[in-house]
Amino acid sequence: MGEQHETILRVSDLRLQTDAGVEIVCGVDFEARAGEILALVGESGCGKTSTALALLGHARVGMGIAGGSVRIGDAEVLATKAGTLRGMRGADVAYVPQDASTSLNPRMQIGRQMEEALRIHGVDSESARSRVRGLIERIGLRDPVRILRSYPFELSGGQQQRVLIAMAVSCEPSVVVLDEPTTGLDVTTQAKVLELVTELAEGSRMAFVYVTHDLAVVDEIADRVAVMYSGRIVEQGDCRDVLGRPQHPYTALLLRSVPRISERRELAGVGGRMTSPDARPSGCSFRLRCPLATDRCAAEFPPVIGERHQIRCWHAGDLEQTAGALLVDATVARDRPAVLEVENLTAGYGRHADARPVVDGISFAIDEGECVALVGESGSGKTTTGRCLTGLHPPISGSVKLHGEVLAPTAPRRTLEQRRALQVVFQNPDRSLNPSHTVAAAIERPLLLFKQTKRGDGRRTVAGLLDRVHLSAKMLDRYPFELSGGEKQRVAIARALAARPELIVCDEITSALDVSIQASIVNLLNELKADGLSMLFITHNLGVVNSIADRTLVMATGTIREEGTTSHILGQPRDAYTKQLLEAAPELRSGSGDNAMVGGEA
């Protein structure tokens, strides 16, 4: 972690509101110092990304900066004219977005894009080329010549993300804002990106603001952390103090939502839902979900308490450490009937006879009510395996059996009943939800297709499915662009459940969710599993694996390297590759993280 130097960024009373006058961010204050990583955390919809964009003097469509101050050095960002502000972006403050694949020009080579970013800020062509080569070497990418000549689609997600970070620091700005830069990356790639960010911060003149919902990542790289709830910062301070000894009930409950690799523990979650900005209650916004709330909490929003460790709560410190409920190894008995059997499955891409298969002769089975996790690095063949099971990618050889019956290789050739029984939830809901369909229409479609409801009863059934995934019926008439990433993913899960499937292939479905919503989804899937639903859970989050999976398959270069009960795979791995994955996975270590509230469970 970087040494603390002078303050580079000062944010005071920052307020953002919609065009209709609804406050989204309500008077935020924080600072960031040179060589420091400040983490901005909270649930989806809390305002952390809106706050991060405001550091560049930018607001989303339909929103504006209503007041406050953002000072970088001696410059006031919010008072800077548009022309000058464009010059500041990149030179004084840089932004690294979550999705690298949509941020790089697909028609331009990486080297040209990086050079262009420098030339915009006055660096001559020769110096730009020299600096770009040095940056590629600095971020640890092998074969710099090949990388610079490559187009974005020729690079992995981790390589693209590191290129974006290199572009962000190329002009040596004072502030670098990173918005969920490791979401969706496998654990080994994530570890490399986190190591890069830490190295860039150490001893530098730059301050880093790291927006994330992953508290294990925060614990690993951040110097300080600010916790947001409903547009306000409710707790901030040194990372070890906030995560190790949280004083705000919301922070404590977030920590209880974090899954652990080291122990199989029930995820408590925060409970309830965050109210929308236009319906905030009086006083403390968290009081409707807080087990410590009193009449005083309804009367007035609390002032800041403390200096180095700041809390905004009338009951600050009224917490006690308790042990969370440990789960036993819930492996499904092998005498249950197999729902799905995969035998010698081989799959690949392209038409070259000598092309190496992406999936190379794997075999496994999933029993009734069993969750099998499939883990491994990007490119290991996990997603291709899932696509073969659901008929979205024809295998080269091998078979997939549902209740002992061999399935046709592609979905259109399968019966309606087979397609109903085997559903899939994809990693990226932006690509799986039709942007022109409302939430109600998206979920109602499988209900009608698989005859799970009468046409007149569809809307009521859809509302019930939304409630199961912890979404309000108010979402029914909204479109995907009106939802957060976590909300869109929950809609996708509800759509899969609408078919009443017997097995769901879950492909990285929690990677875009904050820890509280992730906990609720994991608990929901555990409930469905107890009702007999089977799952193939594809993920890189080993903590989540420990919270949901009965058995785990470790995959590398198209083959299954190790398989067994989840407790044995995570606790006593035998294969060197499995050990490498476990070593790379971030784990929350500050404090126990098992904070409970005096006065009851959330």
Side-chain angles (χ1 to χ4, degrees):
M1 298 185 182
E3 294 181 10
Q4 294 185 358
H5 300 295
E6 72 273 19
T7 300
I8 298 295
L9 171 70
R10 292 181 177 86
V11 178
S12 304
D13 195 29
L14 177 65
R15 289 175 285 112
L16 286 84
Q17 65 182 29
T18 65
D19 294 343
V22 177
E23 276 204 318
I24 303 299
V25 175
C26 318
V28 162
D29 301 279
F30 62 86
E31 296 180 348
R33 304 179 182 93
E36 177 182 73
I37 299 174
L38 168 70
L40 197 58
V41 305
E43 293 174 285
S44 296
C46 71
K48 57 185 186 294
T49 293
S50 296
T51 299
L53 290 172
L55 304 185
L56 289 84
H58 178 75
R60 291 171 168 173
V61 175
M63 191 185 304
I65 299 174
S69 170
V70 175
R71 296 191 67 85
I72 297 176
D74 296 327
E76 174 54 66
V77 173
L78 303 187
T80 303
K81 294 181 179 179
T84 305
L85 187 59
R86 282 194 294 271
M88 289 182 65
R89 293 170 181 162
D92 297 291
V93 54
Y95 182 76
V96 179
Q98 176 177 338
D99 191 349
S101 63
T102 60
S103 304
L104 294 169
N105 188 330
R107 297 185 176 184
M108 188 181 293
Q109 292 174 318
I110 294 298
R112 286 184 58 199
Q113 294 191 55
M114 295 182 69
E115 290 173 22
E116 184 181 74
L118 287 164
R119 289 199 298 270
I120 287 174
H121 294 287
V123 179
D124 63 83
S125 298
E126 185 175 346
S127 298
R129 281 193 294 271
S130 176
R131 191 181 297 186
V132 163
R133 286 193 296 270
L135 282 167
I136 289 295
E137 293 173 359
R138 186 179 180 187
I139 62 175
L141 291 178
R142 297 177 181 177
D143 196 356
V145 174
R146 181 188 66 81
I147 294 292
L148 294 174
R149 290 177 179 174
S150 297
Y151 290 90
F153 70 86
E154 296 178 295
L155 304 183
S156 69
Q159 289 173 326
Q160 291 178 4
Q161 196 62 274
R162 279 184 278 177
V163 165
L164 277 185
I165 294 173
M167 291 173 68
V169 302
S170 61
C171 293
E172 299 182 353
S174 299
V175 177
V176 180
V177 181
L178 302 107
D179 191 358
E180 301 278 12
T182 61
T183 296
L185 300 181
D186 63 68
V187 290
T188 53
T189 303
Q190 175 180 256
K192 293 174 184 176
V193 173
L194 296 179
E195 183 181 1
L196 170 63
V197 173
T198 303
E199 289 176 357
L200 291 171
E202 287 179 347
S204 77
R205 298 285 301 169
M206 294 181 284
F208 289 77
V209 178
Y210 197 103
V211 179
T212 185
H213 59 252
D214 193 330
L215 296 180
V217 167
V218 171
D219 194 25
E220 186 162 313
I221 72 165
D223 298 286
R224 292 191 303 118
V225 59
V227 182
M228 286 193 74
Y229 184 82
S230 189
R232 296 183 173 102
I233 291 178
V234 296
E235 184 166 9
Q236 65 175 311
D238 181 82
C239 188
R240 292 179 181 177
D241 289 339
V242 173
L243 299 188
R245 295 177 294 278
Q247 301 299 301
H248 196 284
Y250 177 60
T251 308
L253 287 170
L254 280 181
L255 288 165
R256 289 188 63 198
S257 304
V258 179
R260 302 301 183 91
I261 299 172
S262 56
E263 55 189 7
R264 189 179 177 92
R265 186 177 293 278
E266 183 179 4
L267 304 182
V270 176
R273 301 186 186 120
M274 187 187 302
T275 54
S276 60
D278 60 350
R280 287 191 186 97
S282 61
C284 175
S285 300
F286 186 61
R287 66 179 175 82
L288 299 182
R289 304 170 73 185
C290 181
L292 300 181
T294 59
D295 291 343
R296 188 181 189 186
C297 302
E300 181 184 359
F301 186 72
V304 174
I305 301 170
E307 295 183 4
R308 289 181 59 85
H309 188 166
Q310 299 180 352
I311 311 99
R312 302 195 74 168
C313 177
W314 293 117
H315 302 283
D318 290 351
L319 313 177
E320 65 177 6
Q321 302 290 107
T322 65
L326 287 173
L327 302 176
V328 297
D329 185 18
T331 303
V332 171
R334 297 301 294 172
D335 57 356
R336 290 198 185 188
V339 174
L340 192 81
E341 296 170 273
V342 178
E343 297 178 357
N344 298 316
L345 184 69
T346 298
Y349 296 87
R351 299 182 179 179
H352 299 292
D354 59 346
R356 181 183 178 86
V358 176
V359 177
D360 195 1
I362 66 171
S363 300
F364 62 91
I366 303 176
D367 293 345
E368 180 184 315
E370 181 181 38
C371 177
V372 174
L374 188 59
V375 303
E377 294 176 289
S378 298
S380 62
K382 307 187 302 297
T383 293
T384 301
T385 298
R387 289 175 63 83
C388 287
L389 302 190
T390 53
L392 298 176
H393 185 84
I396 296 172
S397 61
S399 66
V400 178
K401 296 179 181 179
L402 182 67
H403 297 303
E405 184 177 356
V406 176
L407 296 175
T410 58
R413 294 171 57 187
R414 297 178 181 178
T415 67
L416 189 68
E417 177 61 19
Q418 288 171 340
R419 281 183 278 159
R420 179 203 64 78
L422 189 54
Q423 292 290 305
V424 60
V425 181
F426 299 99
Q427 176 179 358
N428 190 343
D430 285 321
R431 297 180 182 177
S432 59
L433 295 176
N434 190 322
S436 64
H437 288 182
T438 63
V439 168
I443 300 175
E444 190 175 23
R445 187 174 183 183
L447 287 172
L448 299 174
L449 176 64
F450 299 115
K451 299 178 175 59
Q452 299 299 315
T453 187
K454 296 178 181 178
R455 185 171 292 274
D457 295 334
R459 193 173 178 87
R460 184 168 60 251
T461 306
V462 169
L465 286 165
L466 284 180
D467 186 65
R468 290 203 75 181
V469 296
H470 303 276
L471 286 177
S472 167
K474 294 179 181 179
M475 301 281 187
L476 283 169
D477 296 316
R478 295 186 185 178
Y479 290 87
F481 76 88
E482 299 177 285
L483 308 179
S484 70
E487 289 168 341
K488 283 183 280 194
Q489 191 60 283
R490 282 178 279 165
V491 169
I493 294 170
R495 183 178 61 180
L497 294 176
R500 297 182 184 174
E502 295 169 48
L503 187 144
I504 293 181
V505 175
C506 302
D507 190 1
E508 297 282 12
I509 67 171
T510 62
S511 64
L513 305 181
D514 61 64
V515 290
S516 176
I517 299 304
Q518 175 179 264
S520 67
I521 292 299
V522 168
N523 290 337
L524 168 65
L525 294 177
N526 275 321
E527 291 171 10
L528 296 170
K529 187 176 67 169
D531 292 337
L533 180 67
S534 304
M535 283 173 274
L536 178 67
F537 199 86
I538 300 170
T539 186
H540 61 257
N541 190 324
L542 299 180
V544 171
V545 167
N546 203 18
S547 299
I548 192 170
D550 303 298
R551 289 188 300 119
T552 297
L553 313 176
V554 181
M555 198 169 187
T557 60
T559 63
I560 294 176
R561 296 284 291 267
E562 186 171 2
E563 61 180 301
T565 64
T566 296
S567 60
H568 279 86
I569 294 294
L570 300 185
Q572 300 171 329
R574 298 185 301 273
D575 190 85
Y577 177 72
T578 307
K579 294 176 182 178
Q580 177 186 336
L581 289 180
L582 288 166
E583 289 172 359
E587 176 83 325
L588 186 64
R589 295 182 177 87
S590 291
S592 69
D594 302 319
N595 303 282
M597 325 311 303
V598 174
E601 298 288 336

